[in-house]
């Protein structure tokens, strides 16, 4: 048994939070890893009733738009193509089934753990077209960028990426712009912040008067972040606090940032439920367009609706809880997911299904 | 050259006879002279338990066992969970064309080893060979028959509020071992499958009679699955305490890395018991005295309220432990 570090500290923070929480507040944990950690540690159950913790759009699989799903499914069906991607993508339902089902029918879809594995396929199978389904936020985008650098250096003409990479700060701006969300503060993603640092979040406080705290993933770290947010709200001090200084530097990881800038340029991107968010995507920069699968295969984006009735969008914005979606736990379960939020191991709906029960949202105890 | 299974090995002719003799009779006992279409058994008086289970684990060989040992122990443990003392087992093999005969010999031999050690014979069997691709190497179905001692009645309906929940040892070892192998982190792994027969361990609780309410081996879906079934079947709530769960450090760390929860991982040599509270310490002493129960621990208790399983986390908070769903690891047993 690994003994928990800081259990007493955790309860001290919780007690303090109970003392100072004096009005209804809505705090969003942006990141899917935080959502899982919060569920697993039962944190929602012991918060003061005034503090509502809602889950945000920080799970890359969850925010993948139907049009993108439809497009990469068609790519997988192309006989010339080997489609390589991370495991989480395999079970997203498309109009003709998931990638896992397409693979069972003969499509060459491969699960990889890193973008460099994909480069290895491109080297060893020069007669095939290798397409990497690049997905993730600022955490995984540098790995994709590195793969592009290697492909460029080795002049691998059979390698391309279908780019689903997105950036977090612009999505937070979109949430703050949305009148329906009324979020008072954000628990900001620890891993993304390792790459981008503190600065890109400054607008949250400066322009919107909201608060944010960069947090680690241990329960005391999460509780400390909530306490800090409530303190700053009470004191009317809009600020971005970095409570994860052991790994997050104010300027972020300069090498990774330089790599991202070298390969990508900000572009508009479609987010599931949030629509097109300006400058929230990462397009290949001029000079690297030949690695863009959309161009290479002349892929057209069709407007499709794969899962009617799925309310992922409102869930991702923290407007409703998963239990308020009519499909939740009935037609949509982790075994037979309808929407991507139920697919990913870090998806909001999957986390609620796993840790809060299938019936209705309620406090258990 | 390694000899491979051919379709002719299943056709009922001479090749099949020699396969049965060299592989199965050699390891599991018996001979062609005494063979008949059914085994005839003398059963002691009492209620009879009868069970069957199929094994399709991939890979066939893993640290701590193989599909042969697993198929034997799995059926023994299903009998043990009903409180029965096993009398005899049958084993039926579906073999894919092209399988190494040496692999088959190893599998039969390890099944034979547990059979001899426990004194529980394999009294009936069958082999079928299917075309390449129509099975994956070897599938085994075992059935078992056992007799339940007087006074023993294990069923979740007997569970009462206040009963203690006991595990006979560390949880998640088998599931972690197989997953670690598949994920390629087996090189540094020291965790081996807990695959072992538990009928003697269960028999050590016979003196407590109906103070032991029920037992179940926590295989697929793990401890989380069994406790949810008990909650549903008994209509009672169950609370478990995270810091009382016996989990090997490597299993816990590895699970964190792989995004798995030890309470949902399969065990192949651990029994869960619900025991009346005033007999719990006695049960603990009896179980710990047996080599397969030395890490026995109380992990929770039966409470009132909704029929659900709740965990008090190591942080002092509480959360639901729902029935496992989604990607339960395929072909773990």
């Amino acid at each position: 048994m690994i003994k928990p570090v800081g259990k007493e500290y955790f309860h001290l923070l919780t007690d303090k939070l109970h003392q100072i929480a004096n009005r209804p507040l809505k705090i969003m944990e942006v990141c899917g890893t935080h959502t899982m950690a919060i569920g697993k540690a039962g944190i929602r159950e012991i918060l003061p009733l005034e503090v509502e913790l809602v889950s945000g759009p920080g799970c890359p699989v969850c925010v993948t738009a139907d049009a993108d799903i439809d497009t990469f499914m068609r790519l997988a069906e192309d006989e010339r193509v080997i489609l390589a991607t991370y495991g989480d993508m395999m079970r997203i339902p498309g109009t003709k089934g998931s990638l896992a089902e397409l693979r069972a029918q003969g499509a060459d879809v491969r699960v990889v753990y890193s973008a460099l594995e994909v480069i290895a396929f491109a080297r060893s199978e020069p007669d095939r077209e290798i397409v990497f389904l690049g997905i993730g936020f600022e955490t995984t985008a540098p790995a994709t960028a590195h793969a592009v650098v290697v492909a460029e250096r080795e002049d691998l003409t059979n390698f391309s990426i279908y780019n689903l990479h997105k950036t977090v700060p612009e999505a937070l701006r979109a949430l703050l712009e949305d009148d329906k969300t009324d979020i008072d503060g954000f628990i900001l993603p620890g891993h993304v912040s390792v790459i981008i640092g503190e600065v890109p979040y400054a607008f949250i406080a400066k322009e919107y008067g909201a608060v944010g705290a960069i947090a680690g993933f241990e329960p005391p770290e999460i509780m400390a972040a909530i306490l800090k947010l409530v303190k700053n709200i009470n004191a009317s001090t809009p600020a971005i606090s970095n409570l994860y200084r052991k790994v997050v530097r104010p300027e972020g990881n300069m090498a990774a940032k330089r790599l991202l800038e070298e390969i990508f340029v900000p572009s508009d991107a479609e987010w599931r439920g949030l629509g097109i968010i300006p400058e929230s995507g990462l397009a290949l920069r001029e000079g690297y367009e030949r690695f863009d699968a959309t161009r290479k295969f002349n892929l057209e984006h069709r407007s499709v609706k794969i899962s009617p009735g799925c309310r992922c969008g409102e869930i991702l914005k923290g407007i409703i809880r998963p239990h308020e979606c009519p499909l939740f736990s009935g037609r949509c379960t982790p075994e037979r997911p309808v929407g991507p939020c139920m697919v990913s191991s870090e998806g909001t709906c999957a986390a609620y299904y796993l840790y809060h029960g299938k019936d209705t949202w309620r406090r258990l105890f | 050259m390694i000899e491979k299974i051919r379709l002719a090995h299943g056709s009922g002719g001479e090749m099949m006879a020699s396969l049965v003799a060299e592989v199965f009779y050699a390891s599991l006992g018996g001979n062609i002279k005494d063979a008949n279409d059914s085994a005839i058994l003398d059963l002691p008086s009492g209620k009879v338990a009868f069970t069957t289970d199929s094994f399709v684990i991939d890979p066939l060989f893993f640290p701590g066992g193989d599909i042969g040992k697993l198929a034997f122990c799995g059926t023994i443990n299903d009998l043990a969970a009903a409180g029965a003392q096993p009398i005899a087992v049958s084993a039926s093999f579906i073999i894919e064309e092209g399988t190494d005969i040496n692999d088959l010999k190893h599998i039969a031999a390890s099944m034979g080893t547990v059979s001899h050690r426990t004194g529980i014979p394999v009294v009936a069997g069958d082999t079928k060979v299917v075309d390449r691709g129509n099975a994956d190497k070897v599938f085994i179905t075992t059935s078992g028959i056992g007799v339940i001692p007087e006074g023993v009645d294990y069923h979740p309906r007997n569970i009462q509020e206040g009963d203690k929940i006991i595990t006979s040892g560390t949880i998640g070892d088998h599931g972690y071992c197989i997953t670690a192998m598949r994920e390629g982190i087996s090189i540094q792994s020291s965790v081996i499958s807990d695959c072992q027969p538990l009928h003697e361990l269960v028999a050590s609780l016979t003196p407590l009679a109906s103070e032991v309410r029920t037992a179940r081996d926590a295989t697929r879906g793990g401890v989380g699955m069994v406790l949810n079934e008990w909650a549903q079947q008994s209509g009672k709530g169950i609370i478990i305490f995270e810091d009382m769960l016996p989990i090997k450090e490597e299993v816990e760390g590895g699970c964190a890395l792989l995004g798995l929860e030890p309470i949902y991982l399969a065990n192949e040599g651990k029994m869960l018991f619900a025991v009346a509270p005033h007999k719990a310490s006695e049960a603990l002493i009896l179980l710990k005295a047996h080599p397969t129960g030395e890490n026995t621990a109380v992990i929770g208790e039966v409470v009132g309220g909704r029929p659900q399983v709740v965990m008090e986390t190591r942080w002092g908070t509480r959360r639901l432990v729902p029935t496992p769903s989604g990607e339960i690891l395929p072909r773990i047993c």
Side-chain angles (χ1 to χ4, degrees):
Chain A
M1 185 80 215
I2 300 167
K3 291 286 169 213
V5 179
K7 181 174 174 179
E8 279 169 28
Y9 179 52
F10 175 71
H11 285 284
L12 196 71
L13 294 167
T14 311
D15 291 345
K16 280 218 157 153
L17 181 64
H18 276 265
Q19 285 161 20
I20 68 163
N22 53 22
R23 66 183 174 88
L25 294 175
K26 198 174 190 179
I27 288 171
M28 173 178 278
E29 89 273 2
V30 174
C31 165
T33 313
H34 275 139
T35 303
M36 288 309 275
I38 287 164
K40 196 170 177 180
I43 288 178
R44 270 193 191 84
E45 304 289 342
I46 55 161
L47 290 178
L49 288 169
E50 292 84 359
V51 178
E52 187 188 7
L53 205 51
V54 297
S55 308
C59 147
V61 174
C62 303
V63 295
T64 306
D66 276 353
D68 279 317
I69 296 171
D70 181 67
T71 309
F72 69 68
M73 294 285 179
R74 275 183 283 133
L75 200 51
E77 288 177 303
D78 189 324
E79 283 178 3
R80 296 168 293 175
V81 167
I82 294 171
L83 190 71
T85 190
Y86 301 125
D88 258 9
M89 300 298 285
M90 293 300 288
R91 292 173 59 241
I92 297 185
T95 42
K96 286 192 248 168
S98 63
L99 287 178
E101 285 161 311
L102 289 181
R103 182 169 68 179
Q105 288 159 25
D108 198 341
V109 182
R110 302 182 187 177
V111 173
V112 293
Y113 290 92
S114 92
L116 285 182
E117 284 177 64
V118 188
I119 290 290
F121 297 151
R123 284 189 201 118
S124 61
E125 294 171 79
D127 302 333
R128 302 289 300 278
E129 278 295 336
I130 321 291
V131 182
F132 177 51
L133 202 51
I135 185 164
F137 299 114
E138 292 90 335
T139 33
T140 54
T144 303
H146 180 63
V148 172
V149 169
V150 176
E152 157 87 4
R153 194 170 61 215
E154 298 185 16
D155 198 20
L156 294 170
T157 55
N158 63 334
F159 169 84
S160 61
I161 57 175
Y162 186 78
N163 194 348
L164 294 170
H165 287 298
K166 295 180 174 65
T167 53
V168 168
E170 290 69 24
L172 300 183
R173 181 186 290 278
L175 287 174
L176 289 165
E177 286 286 336
D178 191 326
D179 296 335
K180 284 188 286 225
T181 54
D182 62 358
I183 297 160
D184 298 291
F186 294 103
I187 300 173
L188 296 166
H191 299 144
V192 165
S193 305
V194 169
I195 306 293
I196 67 175
E198 302 167 11
V199 182
Y201 302 116
F203 75 92
I204 294 172
K206 275 197 195 124
E207 297 176 37
Y208 296 91
V211 295
I214 299 169
F217 299 90
E218 287 297 316
E221 294 176 316
I222 294 169
M223 193 57 81
I226 299 171
L227 182 64
K228 183 75 177 174
L229 291 172
V230 175
K231 267 186 185 166
N232 281 345
I233 293 167
N234 283 354
S236 302
T237 315
I240 302 301
S241 316
N242 182 357
L243 304 185
Y244 202 29
R245 282 172 192 270
K246 62 183 178 188
V247 289
V248 176
R249 282 174 292 191
E251 73 282 9
N253 180 325
M254 292 309 287
K257 278 165 58 173
R258 270 196 299 273
L259 186 59
L260 287 178
E261 258 177 51
E262 185 191 332
I263 302 298
F264 296 120
V265 55
S267 66
D268 296 354
E270 187 182 354
W271 294 55
R272 182 181 194 80
L274 281 73
I276 291 178
I277 302 178
E279 307 275 286
S280 70
L282 293 170
L284 285 162
R285 194 175 273 284
E286 208 181 320
Y288 295 97
E289 299 102 328
R290 66 181 180 286
F291 297 111
D292 182 352
T294 304
R295 273 172 183 247
K296 191 171 195 174
F297 297 92
N298 245 330
L299 298 171
E300 95 188 90
H301 263 59
R302 299 189 303 207
S303 170
V304 290
K305 186 84 188 133
I306 293 172
S307 39
C310 169
R311 293 179 72 183
C312 276
E314 290 152 280
I315 292 166
L316 293 170
K317 288 195 268 191
I319 295 172
I320 65 166
R321 288 185 188 277
H323 295 85
E324 292 169 73
C325 172
L327 304 184
F328 182 82
S329 91
R331 267 183 57 212
C332 184
T333 62
E335 282 143 340
R336 298 180 151 274
V338 175
C341 296
M342 192 60 103
V343 172
S344 170
S345 58
E346 300 203 327
T348 307
C349 295
Y352 275 67
Y353 191 93
L354 190 57
Y355 295 120
H356 296 292
K358 347 182 156 167
D359 308 329
T360 53
W361 163 252
R362 58 171 196 267
R363 293 226 171 193
L364 286 163
F365 313 104
Chain B
M1 196 187 105
I2 302 163
E3 219 186 325
K4 307 274 188 188
I5 288 288
R6 288 148 52 189
L7 282 173
H9 280 115
S11 62
E14 217 167 278
M15 277 180 78
M16 182 166 152
S18 70
L19 177 78
V20 170
E22 284 169 29
V23 175
F24 297 108
Y25 286 151
S27 294
L28 302 173
N31 63 69
I32 194 76
K33 207 165 77 222
D34 296 338
N36 211 337
D37 272 355
S38 292
I40 314 291
L41 303 172
D42 277 324
L43 293 183
S45 67
K47 283 187 180 162
V48 169
F50 178 44
T51 187
T52 189
D53 208 345
S54 294
F55 295 84
V56 297
I57 190 167
D58 176 38
L60 296 178
F61 299 92
F62 48 86
D66 59 51
I67 191 171
K69 182 183 180 191
L70 185 71
F72 188 89
C73 294
T75 281
I76 294 303
N77 293 346
D78 284 349
L79 292 171
Q85 282 311 297
I87 302 289
V89 165
S90 75
S92 180
F93 291 73
I94 293 173
I95 308 160
E96 184 191 15
E97 179 190 14
T99 302
D100 289 350
I101 290 189
N102 271 337
D103 282 354
L104 211 53
K105 281 182 178 163
H106 278 127
I107 290 164
S110 71
M111 186 181 267
T113 303
V114 224
S115 169
H116 295 145
R117 216 178 59 218
T118 57
I120 304 163
V122 177
V123 294
D126 185 44
T127 57
K128 294 280 187 313
V129 178
V130 297
D131 305 39
R132 196 183 282 274
N134 285 349
D136 189 7
K137 296 184 281 290
V138 181
F139 297 155
I140 305 177
T141 299
T142 48
S143 299
I145 193 163
V147 171
I148 299 173
E150 190 73 33
V152 168
D153 169 30
Y154 294 169
H155 194 281
R157 65 170 173 264
N158 303 329
I159 291 174
Q160 294 173 27
E161 211 172 309
D163 286 351
K164 300 289 181 193
I165 305 293
I166 293 173
T167 171
S168 68
T170 53
I171 63 176
D173 296 2
H174 177 77
Y176 176 75
C177 163
I178 303 298
T179 310
M181 252 184 110
R182 290 192 194 149
E183 297 287 335
I185 56 173
S186 57
I187 307 146
Q188 300 95 355
S189 178
S190 62
V191 175
I192 64 168
S193 167
D194 56 359
C195 177
Q196 57 184 347
L198 298 171
H199 60 295
E200 287 178 3
L201 181 80
V202 175
S204 66
L205 291 186
T206 306
L208 299 184
S210 65
E211 309 284 8
V212 179
R213 316 294 192 197
T214 195
R216 194 165 293 171
D217 58 332
T219 54
R220 261 182 309 177
V223 172
M225 183 76 187
V226 171
L227 295 183
N228 270 284
E229 286 169 355
W230 284 1
Q232 290 304 320
Q233 288 177 283
S234 67
K236 308 263 189 317
I238 293 173
I239 183 162
I240 54 173
F241 302 95
E242 188 172 26
D243 54 13
M244 290 163 81
L245 296 174
I247 302 171
K248 289 185 176 142
E249 274 196 25
E250 185 186 334
V251 172
E252 192 166 358
C255 280
L257 195 70
L258 296 166
L260 300 169
E261 296 218 37
I263 51 166
Y264 293 128
L265 289 182
N267 307 276
E268 289 296 339
K270 299 294 151 50
M271 194 65 75
L272 289 176
F273 300 95
V275 179
H278 63 285
K279 290 289 180 186
S281 48
E282 200 175 326
L284 224 55
I285 292 166
L286 290 169
L287 293 170
K288 276 174 179 278
H290 196 271
T292 59
E294 54 183 356
N295 292 316
T296 296
V298 172
I299 59 168
E301 61 192 46
V302 179
V303 293
R306 271 189 274 255
Q308 63 187 13
V309 183
V310 167
M311 176 189 283
E312 183 166 317
T313 71
R314 64 187 64 168
W315 302 100
T317 55
R318 291 185 170 195
R319 68 167 168 91
L320 205 61
V321 180
T323 305
S325 65
E327 295 276 270
I328 299 179
L329 302 162
R331 297 186 60 188
I332 201 84
C333 60

